[in-house]
């Protein structure tokens, strides 16, 4: 892709959206990657020849996907309100979770994942405990399992932690914003501090594609930070990757092709593999942005007095 | 060049009064000979690539690959084609389709047995950024033509086809008969000279002699042409 003028960069030549090119210089497009690879790494005198462009495209996309899973720090953020169903549908390009927060009074509270499941599939049974099936032989399921009903109705016991309350750390029920406890005396010895938190908790139901929250999340704004695979919903023209990873992408494509080809000597495959690995490490170090100024800021904390 | 080639052929053939080649016959042999040599350019180019990869070729004046490339470049051309009934027709004089361009984007050729798989894959499905095409043929009456289908099908605008064309059929034209021989006329409307460079004149003569030798049933003429050609090929490949 050709370089753009500064006018194009700052206000897209007056065309909406005017912020379309902001920060674009950090990235190289998929188009450029494939084109450059076809031009520079394949040909009559290169290690790779007679390769189809769609093969390059496939391996380039796979490399970008892999980068998005761990090395890149391209975290996407989406906010959505959570209603009475206590569900948040996962974003359309969701691959993995970074963090979920609840917004309350303008402050984001990071939520902890409930280690106890709060959803399940249930089967309908007759009075003899026999599972009921439909005409196709599939088991009949209710709309909500007992576990889900308890959560939706706020009748599921949960850890309640509030340092100002005498019921701190006790199991309780939240019904219409009023907490009820099984017993009201005694210390909260043995509370699970890992999950002891006044904020709502959640559990991701990956199969159903939703996040299930505890009942005290109802009406709050949820902010989900997640990573995608960088494929931009199949819009090839929008796929891009940070320039720090450009060489890695070429090395990854080269390795993938050589590794799959018949008759390529093992030492060439190994060389390509080592290239790929070394370039990934280099790019990760670059992207981590470790430099003296930043280290200095961290080192200043060492002299802090701990009272 | 065509008149020089014809004169040389006639001189060799008539040396021992083997026979006479009519202009019509000569034109047929000339077209066939030119096609033979034209197709050999691609073989020769491939040989040079292999030699380069084996590090047995040189650069500068010894750059035979460049010579081969320049020979083929003589026949490179382009044409703009429009979509009709869902297909883009391939120019009739196309020998090798090099690039199909959709604006500034290259449309990639894929085999027909791959297109269904490509379309079914999320990662490789053709897009406006990475379009592909599949070649096919169509028979209409007595003629068969080539055409291509472009994917994604949303692409409907004109395409530019960059290709290597066939050389035009050479035509030695004449105007009057003098002393029983037709006189060459380069001003005729249907006159077409050879398109091969002068360096291929000996090869053309050898080829035409082979065809003429078969035609007049003179083994010596055929063998002379064949021996000449083999000698030239030996030099090219050594």
């Amino acid at each position: 892709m050709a370089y753009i003028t500064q006018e194009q960069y700052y206000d897209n030549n007056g065309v909406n959206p005017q912020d379309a090119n902001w920060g674009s210089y950090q990235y190289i497009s998929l188009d450029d990657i494939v084109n450059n690879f076809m031009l520079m790494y394949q040909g009559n005198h290169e290690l790779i020849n007679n390769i189809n462009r769609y093969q390059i495209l496939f391996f380039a996309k796979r490399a970008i996907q892999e980068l998005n899973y761990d090395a890149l720090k391209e975290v996407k953020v989406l906010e959505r309100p959570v209603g009475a169903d206590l569900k948040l549908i996962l974003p359309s390009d969701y691959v993995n979770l970074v963090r979920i927060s609840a917004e309350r009074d303008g402050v984001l509270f990071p939520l902890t994942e409930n280690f106890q499941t709060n959803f399940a599939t249930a089967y309908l049974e007759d009075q003899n405990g026999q599972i009921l099936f439909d005409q196709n032989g599939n088991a009949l399921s209710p709309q909500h399992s007992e576990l889900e009903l308890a959560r939706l109705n706020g009748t599921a016991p949960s850890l309640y932690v509030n340092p100002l309350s005498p019921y701190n750390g006790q199991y309780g029920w939240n019904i219409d914003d009023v907490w009820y406890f099984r017993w009201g005396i005694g210390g909260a010895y043995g509370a699970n501090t890992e999950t002891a938190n006044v904020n709502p908790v959640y559990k991701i139901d990956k199969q159903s594609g939703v996040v299930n929250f505890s009942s005290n999340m109802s009406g709050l704004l949820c902010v989900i930070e997640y990573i995608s695979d960088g494929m931009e919903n199949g819009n090839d023209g929008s796929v891009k990757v940070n320039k720090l990873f450009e060489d890695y992408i070429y090395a990854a494509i080269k390795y993938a092709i050589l590794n799959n080809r018949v008759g390529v000597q093992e030492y060439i495959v190994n060389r390509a593999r080592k290239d790929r690995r070394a370039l990934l490490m280099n790019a990760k170090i670059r992207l981590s942005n470790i430099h003296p100024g930043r280290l200095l800021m961290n080192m200043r904390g060492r002299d802090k007095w701990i009272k | 060049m065509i008149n020089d080639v014809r004169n040389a052929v006639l001189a060799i053939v008539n040396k021992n009064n083997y026979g006479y080649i009519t202009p019509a016959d000569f034109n047929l042999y000339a077209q066939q000979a030119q096609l033979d040599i034209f197709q050999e350019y691609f073989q020769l180019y491939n040989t040079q690539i292999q030699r380069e990869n084996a590090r047995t070729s040189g650069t500068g004046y010894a750059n035979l690959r460049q010579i081969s490339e320049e020979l083929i470049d003589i026949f490179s051309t382009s044409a703009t084609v429009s979509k009709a009934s869902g297909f883009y027709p391939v120019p009739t004089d196309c020998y090798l389709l090099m690039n199909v361009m959709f604006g500034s984007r290259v449309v990639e050729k894929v085999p027909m047995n791959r297109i269904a798989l490509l379309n079914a894959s999320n990662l490789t499905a053709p897009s406006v950024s990475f379009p592909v095409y599949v070649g096919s043929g169509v028979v209409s009456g007595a003629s068969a033509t080539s055409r291509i289908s472009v994917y994604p099908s949303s692409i409907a605008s004109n395409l530019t086809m960059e290709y290597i064309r066939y050389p035009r059929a050479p035509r030695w034209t004449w105007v009057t008969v003098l002393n029983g021989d037709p006189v060459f006329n380069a001003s005729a409307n249907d006159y077409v000279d050879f398109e091969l460079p002068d360096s291929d004149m000996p090869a053309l003569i050898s080829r035409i002699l082979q065809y003429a030798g078969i035609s007049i049933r003179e083994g010596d003429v055929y063998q002379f042409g064949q021996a000449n050609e083999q000698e030239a090929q030996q030099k090219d490949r050594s």
Side-chain angles (χ1 to χ4, degrees):
Chain A
M1 189 179 290
Y3 289 103
I4 58 174
T5 65
Q6 287 182 308
E7 189 181 1
Q8 275 178 290
Y9 178 80
Y10 284 109
D11 65 4
N12 200 18
N13 283 345
V15 178
N16 278 326
Q18 295 196 352
D19 59 356
N21 295 319
W22 293 358
S24 60
Y25 202 70
Q26 302 166 81
Y27 300 99
I28 180 166
S29 67
L30 177 67
D31 211 4
D32 279 348
I33 289 171
V34 173
N35 193 52
N36 291 345
F37 193 93
M38 291 294 286
L39 195 62
M40 307 308 296
Y41 292 90
Q42 81 90 33
N44 287 327
H45 306 300
E46 322 301 336
L47 276 177
I48 297 166
N49 66 347
N50 295 334
I51 193 88
N52 293 303
R53 188 180 65 185
Y54 64 79
Q55 290 171 283
I56 308 287
L57 180 65
F58 173 79
F59 290 124
K61 284 185 174 180
R62 284 293 302 119
I64 292 173
Q65 284 180 322
E66 288 298 323
L67 285 180
N68 272 274
Y69 298 152
D70 54 10
L72 289 177
K73 295 171 180 171
E74 304 283 338
V75 177
K76 294 190 168 189
V77 187
L78 178 73
E79 67 161 45
R80 292 202 66 192
V82 176
D85 60 355
L86 301 174
K87 280 184 196 292
L88 174 83
I89 301 171
L90 292 173
S92 58
D93 53 351
Y94 171 91
V95 171
N96 203 6
L97 182 70
V98 175
R99 182 166 50 192
I100 293 181
S101 307
E103 190 268 349
R104 194 186 292 135
D105 302 327
V107 180
L108 285 181
F109 295 92
L111 305 185
T112 50
E113 186 170 10
N114 190 350
F115 63 88
Q116 293 172 319
T117 188
N118 57 9
F119 61 88
T121 300
Y123 295 142
L124 292 178
E125 298 176 0
D126 62 14
Q127 66 272 23
N128 299 320
Q130 299 294 311
I131 297 175
L132 300 175
F133 299 96
D134 65 11
Q135 59 188 6
N136 298 320
N138 298 318
L140 292 171
S141 293
Q143 185 181 1
H144 298 295
S145 64
E146 292 296 329
L147 209 55
E148 285 175 320
L149 279 175
R151 177 175 61 85
L152 292 170
N153 297 333
T155 55
S158 63
L159 282 173
Y160 178 77
V161 177
N162 183 341
L164 302 177
S165 166
Y167 303 110
N168 183 15
Q170 303 295 329
Y171 279 102
W173 290 262
N174 184 301
I175 300 173
D176 296 333
D177 289 337
V178 178
W179 282 92
Y180 298 91
F181 296 94
R182 191 170 287 146
W183 55 82
I185 55 172
Y189 301 113
N192 190 337
T193 52
E194 184 189 347
T195 56
N197 197 302
V198 292
N199 295 317
V201 291
Y202 67 90
K203 186 84 177 172
I204 298 179
D205 183 355
K206 292 179 182 173
Q207 292 292 322
S208 304
V210 295
V211 184
N212 290 313
F213 292 97
S214 55
S215 56
N216 50 346
M217 186 66 185
S218 180
L220 294 183
L221 193 63
C222 170
V223 176
I224 179 169
E225 296 164 73
Y226 65 99
I227 55 169
S228 185
D229 63 352
M231 291 296 105
E232 304 298 331
N233 288 325
N235 182 1
D236 288 348
S238 301
V239 177
K240 59 194 178 188
V241 68
N242 195 295
K243 279 179 178 169
L244 301 178
F245 285 93
E246 184 177 351
D247 252 9
Y248 163 76
I249 299 279
Y250 297 141
I253 298 170
K254 195 165 78 172
Y255 168 70
I257 292 169
L258 291 173
N259 194 36
N260 282 299
R261 284 213 146 181
V262 175
V264 179
Q265 296 92 330
E266 195 57 30
Y267 71 90
I268 290 179
V269 177
N270 269 332
R271 193 168 73 199
R273 184 171 53 79
K274 286 174 185 170
D275 275 354
R276 181 189 64 151
R277 186 165 178 273
L279 287 166
L280 179 61
M281 288 166 64
N282 274 357
K284 278 183 173 177
I285 291 169
R286 285 178 185 166
L287 201 68
S288 66
N289 244 349
I290 298 172
H291 53 77
R294 187 168 278 199
L295 284 175
L296 189 64
M297 293 299 289
N298 291 336
M299 295 295 282
R300 281 178 181 151
R302 73 187 168 157
D303 295 329
K304 188 166 60 182
W305 283 32
I306 300 171
K307 292 180 181 177
Chain B
M1 183 169 76
I2 194 168
N3 195 42
D4 295 335
V5 171
R6 184 172 185 273
N7 288 340
V9 168
L10 288 183
I12 295 167
V13 170
N14 284 328
K15 185 179 176 186
N16 297 321
N17 293 323
Y18 283 138
Y20 176 74
I21 303 169
T22 65
D25 284 349
F26 175 80
N27 286 337
L28 286 176
Y29 304 152
Q31 181 182 2
Q32 193 63 41
Q34 183 169 247
L35 269 179
D36 288 346
I37 295 168
F38 169 75
Q39 286 173 335
E40 276 178 8
Y41 286 165
F42 298 87
Q43 296 286 345
L44 193 62
Y45 179 67
N46 193 44
T47 305
Q48 297 308 330
I49 295 289
Q50 288 171 350
R51 290 181 59 183
E52 277 195 355
N53 284 335
R55 301 191 68 82
T56 60
S57 67
T59 57
Y61 294 128
N63 194 341
L64 298 180
R65 176 179 60 85
Q66 187 185 344
I67 294 173
S68 292
E69 276 175 355
E70 287 174 1
L71 286 173
I72 295 172
D73 285 345
I74 295 171
F75 301 95
S76 68
T77 186
S78 65
T80 302
V81 291
S82 304
K83 195 172 190 177
S85 307
F87 297 93
Y88 289 91
V90 176
T92 51
D93 61 344
C94 175
Y95 173 75
L96 179 64
L97 196 50
M98 298 299 296
N99 277 325
V100 176
M101 304 295 296
F102 165 57
S104 60
R105 298 188 178 281
V106 175
V107 187
E108 185 192 19
K109 178 178 172 56
V110 296
M112 191 171 273
N113 64 345
R114 288 277 175 182
I115 189 64
L117 296 171
L118 278 178
N119 276 324
S121 162
N122 266 348
L123 292 184
T124 60
S127 62
V128 172
S129 297
F130 299 101
V132 302
Y133 75 85
V134 174
S136 61
V138 60
V139 175
S140 173
S143 61
T145 53
S146 297
R147 61 187 187 179
I148 63 169
S149 315
V150 175
Y151 297 85
S153 55
S154 59
I155 293 178
S157 53
N158 288 355
L159 300 179
T160 303
M161 291 186 178
E162 297 171 347
Y163 62 99
I164 306 295
R165 64 172 174 80
Y166 281 104
R168 294 172 301 163
R171 191 166 184 84
W172 186 87
T173 47
W174 53 284
V175 58
T176 52
V177 176
L178 185 67
N179 299 327
D181 290 333
V183 176
F184 178 56
N185 175 25
S187 305
N189 288 334
D190 55 347
Y191 164 67
V192 180
D193 200 355
F194 284 114
E195 294 194 65
L196 307 184
D198 286 351
S199 57
D200 276 322
M201 193 169 152
L204 278 170
I205 294 169
S206 300
R207 288 275 179 177
I208 294 170
L209 281 175
Q210 287 176 53
Y211 290 118
I214 293 170
S215 171
I216 60 179
R217 299 183 184 184
E218 281 298 339
D220 287 348
V221 176
Y222 174 81
Q223 281 166 11
F224 173 75
Q226 195 180 36
N228 264 2
E229 185 193 330
Q230 283 172 353
E231 191 182 343
Q233 284 176 347
Q234 193 83 23
K235 280 180 188 168
D236 280 344
R237 288 169 186 164
S238 62

